[in-house]
Amino acid sequence: MIKYLSVIELILLNASKLNKSFGEDVVFSDVSFNISDKDKIGFVGVNGAGKTTLFRALLDTSYADGGEVFINKETRIGYMQQHADLHSDNTVFEEVMSVYTDMLSLEEELEAISKSIENGEGNLEELIARQSRLMARFESRGGYTYKSIARSSLIGLGFDESELGKPFETLSGGQKTRVLLCKILLSDSNLLLLDEPTNHLDISSVEWLENFLINYNGAFMVISHDRYFLDKICNRTFELENNTFTAYDANYSRYLKLKEEYKLAKQRRYDNTAKEIQRLEGIIEQQKRWNREKNIKTAESKQKVIDKLEKTLEVVEKEPGKIHFSFNSAPCTSNDILSVHSLSMAYGIHKLFSNISFEIKKNEHVFLLGDNGCGKTTFFKILTGALSSIDGEFSVGKSVQIGYYDQTQENLSYDKTVLDEVYDAYPKLSLTEIRNALAAFLFTGDDVFKTIDTLSGGERARVSLVKLMLSGANFLFLDEPTNHLDISSREALEEALSSYDGTLFIVSHDRYFINKLAHRVLYMQNSSVTNYQGNYDYFLEKFKPALDIKEVVSATNKDVYLEKKRAESQKRKNAATLEKTEKQIAEIEEKINESNALLLTDEYATDYIKASQLSEEISALQAQLDELYIKWEELSEMM
């Protein structure tokens, strides 16, 4: 049952003693925490720990086996699923604009009123008054900028301007998820629950999202394996490990240190208590040997102390299973590993890249970065022989053996078992060798008999890594190798690649991963490649993007800037017009007063014709004054 808290509290959501099991398998138990209106929370844990399950329990406590969720009456939750099944007849832009139904209704009503005024339909005074009130509301709620913000938010999340008019149903699953993310970010929610929002985003889009969340005027709880992202956006970290929930008031890096300190302190307490129990047991044994009444009482007393101490013993649980492996490479005699000369690729009139030239030397770790769609994967497929370029050439050195990790896992046969997939690729290896290799990647027992099509994305990634590890290749092409891997598996991959004695060429948007491994960065942009001799932080320092990220978050593009300038200009004009109108009102009121005074004089009182003429003038002035008052009211409301 969901209960609602008082609106005066700063707590947006409170979870109390939530628990969930699937049969005999406990997912989590006794989970309790608060989310305040200023919390920026990263939620971490290995794949399968139950993070998404906990999100579902927060949204619907009937899904949990026990516990309660208390929600503030002012809390408006926006939830982004990791795998959303979305359908819509709208275009991409129309789908995002659906979050602004109130603004669209305001615009429609304002257009209808404008037409009525132009056509002289209805009560003019009432129409103008209504128009003024609606215009004031429209402006105060960002009426001049909301369409531009929606458009540039989509562009910030990786859509091209030409894609905004595409039918939503023609998008890929990843693109649909990005549209959903955009809708949630632009909604009026003040608590966001985001499940892996950086999936399907390139680096520039992740940075856009990062800065949006940093500047977000609300709270969020985000499931993510992106350590760089978590460090930048979070002030708290929630962890779900071994069915146990723990909250840390720290970002990701600080959380790791606190967790290690907590683990060491817990181990020390356990060791000290165990030593004390052992000491007391020695005393009891000694007292029993003496076997006198006094000794027996002493033994009984010490046993009671032991019983109490044993209740306080808290064993430090082992961390969840981690993969442990290393890449072995065949000897390589050449120092020149890869030479690329004037390589070009296009699909019809769509040019991906042209005249790209560079070299990779032995033992280098080179990362290829760039926005989604710029041609990075295509470039890899050309170099690995899966595609042909339209121009240029490349060559690899003598004794170079290439190993390729495909992010889509197209090299896996989905109808095979895990064991057969690896064994068929390396038939010369014994069954024991294959099973040992699989065990290093946490495929043990009956897991090896699962078919590939039943595996999660992370499990398929681990099967591909097993095959790559056994290949003995001395030049690895890795296309987004950390996708679908949890933090623990990413760390194991980093460790294995750090000690690898071959050459690496990697496409990735995992900035933490890039920082750990990169010797240099090749950045693909505007159909060409630029070399940066350093890791990701060095690249970021040297690379100056065309748009300031902060401006992208607050105004996001030139259209918004121009709309704001136009609105400010209009306000200045309205202020000047209001001042002018007030002067005109004062002048006409003075003329009317003067004319009324003249009507009382003998000159006009005894001359009917002059009095009639002056009365007509007063009536005309009064009509002007009435119009000016209507204008003044309209301008005042708008101001």
Side-chain angles (χ1 to χ4, degrees):
M1 182 179 75
I2 293 179
K3 299 180 180 180
Y4 289 91
L5 299 174
S6 166
V7 298
I8 63 172
E9 292 185 48
L10 294 175
I11 302 300
L12 295 177
L13 180 147
N14 167 265
S16 178
K17 297 185 178 179
L18 292 175
N19 59 82
K20 178 68 179 178
S21 299
F22 292 110
E24 295 182 356
D25 295 328
V26 177
V27 181
F28 52 79
S29 61
D30 201 27
V31 173
S32 299
F33 60 86
N34 289 331
I35 300 178
S36 76
D37 56 351
K38 300 299 180 186
D39 280 339
K40 318 289 186 183
I41 301 165
F43 191 16
V44 300
V46 299
N47 286 336
K51 302 183 296 296
T52 299
T53 302
L54 181 58
F55 265 17
R56 290 184 64 181
L58 295 179
L59 296 162
D60 178 12
T61 44
S62 65
Y63 181 71
D65 296 329
E68 292 182 309
V69 175
F70 300 82
I71 299 175
N72 191 300
K73 288 183 179 179
E74 293 297 304
T75 301
R76 301 176 303 279
I77 296 176
Y79 173 49
M80 178 195 154
Q81 302 177 61
Q82 185 177 356
H83 305 291
D85 185 19
L86 304 172
H87 299 282
S88 172
D89 294 328
N90 291 330
T91 65
V92 170
F93 187 66
E94 288 169 346
E95 184 61 25
V96 170
M97 289 302 295
S98 65
V99 302
Y100 292 115
T101 52
D102 57 334
M103 296 298 293
L104 293 169
S105 297
L106 266 177
E107 272 193 314
E108 288 176 4
E109 189 170 354
L110 282 167
E111 287 177 11
I113 291 173
S114 294
K115 287 181 180 178
S116 296
I117 292 173
E118 288 174 11
N119 299 330
E121 300 170 351
N123 185 305
L124 183 62
E125 185 176 335
E126 290 179 1
L127 287 171
I128 291 174
R130 175 69 175 163
Q131 185 185 49
S132 298
R133 288 193 296 273
L134 291 179
M135 185 60 72
R137 194 192 312 169
F138 185 71
E139 287 185 359
S140 69
R141 297 174 68 177
Y144 292 124
T145 60
Y146 77 100
K147 288 182 179 177
S148 293
I149 289 174
R151 177 177 286 103
S152 44
S153 296
L154 281 166
I155 292 170
L157 289 171
F159 285 95
D160 187 82
E161 183 78 41
S162 62
E163 295 177 308
L164 304 190
K166 287 178 66 174
F168 180 80
E169 285 300 319
T170 65
L171 301 181
S172 67
Q175 288 173 317
K176 287 182 177 180
T177 301
R178 279 189 274 145
V179 173
L180 172 63
L181 174 60
C182 191
K183 288 176 64 177
I184 291 168
L185 296 179
L186 297 178
S187 70
D188 67 344
S189 304
N190 58 1
L191 173 57
L192 304 178
L193 301 180
L194 306 177
D195 194 347
E196 294 281 8
T198 60
N199 281 1
H200 313 294
L201 299 183
D202 54 33
I203 287 178
S204 60
S205 297
V206 171
E207 288 176 344
W208 184 93
L209 175 61
E210 212 166 61
N211 282 276
F212 184 98
L213 292 175
I214 288 169
N215 291 277
Y216 179 62
N217 189 29
F220 59 78
M221 184 172 171
V222 55
I223 296 171
S224 180
H225 299 302
D226 188 328
R227 295 156 290 176
Y228 200 101
F229 177 71
L230 292 170
D231 260 349
K232 292 265 284 189
I233 66 168
C234 296
N235 57 26
R236 300 182 73 192
T237 300
F238 288 175
E239 177 194 66
L240 194 54
E241 183 175 283
N242 291 324
N243 319 123
T244 302
F245 177 89
T246 312
Y248 298 83
D249 290 330
N251 69 356
Y252 180 77
S253 291
R254 178 64 181 151
Y255 138 77
L256 288 178
K257 293 177 182 177
L258 291 174
K259 179 182 178 181
E260 188 60 28
E261 290 172 6
Y262 172 74
K263 181 180 175 183
L264 290 172
K266 190 175 180 181
Q267 186 65 54
R268 278 196 298 270
R269 286 196 301 272
Y270 178 85
D271 292 342
N272 291 335
T273 303
K275 284 180 183 178
E276 179 62 11
I277 290 173
Q278 189 176 21
R279 186 184 72 83
L280 293 171
E281 285 174 340
I283 294 173
I284 290 173
E285 186 179 348
Q286 184 183 60
Q287 296 295 318
K288 284 181 177 178
R289 283 201 306 269
W290 292 342
N291 198 27
R292 295 175 183 171
E293 184 178 350
K294 182 180 178 182
N295 300 129
I296 292 171
K297 287 182 179 180
T298 300
E300 289 174 349
S301 173
K302 296 301 181 185
Q303 185 58 53
K304 289 179 181 178
V305 174
I306 288 175
D307 293 342
K308 288 181 180 179
L309 287 175
E310 284 179 340
K311 290 179 181 179
T312 67
L313 270 179
E314 193 176 358
V315 179
V316 178
E317 293 181 336
K318 292 181 180 180
E319 292 186 1
K322 292 184 178 182
I323 61 176
H324 296 283
F325 65 101
S326 60
F327 290 106
N328 297 314
S329 64
C332 182
T333 58
S334 177
N335 187 54
D336 298 319
I337 301 299
L338 174 68
S339 297
V340 177
H341 302 286
S342 302
L343 208 62
S344 301
M345 187 62 182
Y347 292 106
I349 61 172
H350 179 56
K351 181 173 67 175
L352 280 180
F353 48 82
S354 62
N355 297 317
I356 290 179
S357 300
F358 62 88
E359 292 185 345
I360 293 179
K361 301 296 183 180
K362 186 177 180 179
N363 299 132
E364 273 198 301
H365 296 176
V366 182
F367 279 76
L368 180 63
L369 309 185
D371 292 343
N372 285 342
C374 70
K376 302 184 298 297
T377 296
T378 301
F379 192 73
F380 264 27
K381 287 187 174 180
I382 291 171
L383 297 179
T384 55
L387 289 175
S388 298
S389 64
I390 61 170
D391 199 9
E393 59 184 11
F394 68 92
S395 61
V396 296
K398 291 180 180 180
S399 69
V400 169
Q401 297 179 27
I402 292 176
Y404 178 45
Y405 177 92
D406 181 3
Q407 65 166 308
T408 60
Q409 277 105 40
E410 290 180 2
N411 64 329
L412 300 180
S413 301
Y414 279 44
D415 58 335
K416 290 184 179 180
T417 65
V418 172
L419 183 63
D420 288 340
E421 176 65 30
V422 180
Y423 189 74
D424 290 349
Y426 300 99
K428 292 183 179 180
L429 295 179
S430 69
L431 191 60
T432 300
E433 288 173 319
I434 296 294
R435 293 209 63 154
N436 287 341
L438 287 169
F441 286 82
L442 306 184
F443 291 107
T444 58
D446 291 340
D447 290 340
V448 301
F449 301 116
K450 292 179 179 178
T451 55
I452 302 295
D453 63 337
T454 64
L455 302 181
S456 67
E459 288 171 325
R460 289 174 190 167
R462 283 190 271 131
V463 173
S464 291
L465 286 173
V466 173
K467 293 174 69 177
L468 193 64
M469 178 187 73
L470 295 172
S471 70
N474 51 31
F475 185 24
L476 299 182
F477 283 77
L478 308 177
D479 190 2
E480 298 287 6
T482 62
N483 274 8
H484 308 296
L485 296 182
D486 56 33
I487 291 175
S488 173
S489 299
R490 292 181 188 207
E491 289 171 345
L493 179 60
E494 283 166 2
E495 185 178 341
L497 293 176
S498 294
S499 58
Y500 174 61
D501 59 358
T503 307
L504 299 175
F505 195 18
I506 304 174
V507 170
S508 180
H509 67 267
D510 185 334
R511 294 162 295 172
Y512 198 99
F513 181 69
I514 301 168
N515 261 347
K516 291 271 284 189
L517 292 171
H519 296 159
R520 63 187 174 110
V521 168
L522 296 176
Y523 187 69
M524 186 175 279
Q525 184 186 45
N526 299 327
S527 306
S528 63
V529 162
T530 306
N531 182 68
Y532 296 88
Q533 199 71 35
N535 63 7
Y536 180 77
D537 284 343
Y538 176 83
F539 157 74
L540 197 62
E541 179 186 339
K542 298 298 180 182
F543 175 65
K544 302 296 182 184
L547 289 175
D548 186 321
I549 295 292
K550 289 183 179 178
E551 288 183 11
V552 170
V553 174
S554 58
T556 4
N557 66 8
K558 187 178 178 182
D559 290 341
V560 176
Y561 174 77
L562 293 175
E563 285 285 4
K564 286 189 172 182
K565 284 294 184 183
R566 193 205 67 76
E568 290 168 3
S569 174
Q570 186 62 48
K571 284 184 178 180
R572 288 194 295 271
K573 288 179 182 177
N574 288 345
T577 304
L578 181 63
E579 185 179 356
K580 183 180 178 182
T581 302
E582 288 174 344
K583 287 181 180 179
Q584 289 175 326
I585 288 172
E587 289 172 359
I588 291 177
E589 283 180 339
E590 187 177 349
K591 286 182 181 179
I592 290 173
N593 290 334
E594 289 174 355
S595 297
N596 283 328
L598 281 174
L599 281 176
L600 299 175
T601 63
D602 292 340
E603 180 184 355
Y604 285 86
T606 56
D607 189 331
Y608 171 75
I609 295 175
K610 290 178 71 174
S612 295
Q613 290 175 343
L614 187 57
S615 294
E616 288 177 6
E617 290 175 8
I618 291 172
S619 296
L621 288 169
Q622 190 62 53
Q624 288 182 43
L625 186 63
D626 290 342
E627 289 180 5
L628 287 170
Y629 269 125
I630 291 173
K631 186 176 181 180
W632 181 87
E633 287 178 3
E634 178 184 338
L635 289 167
S636 295
E637 286 190 18
M638 290 175 68
M639 291 299 295

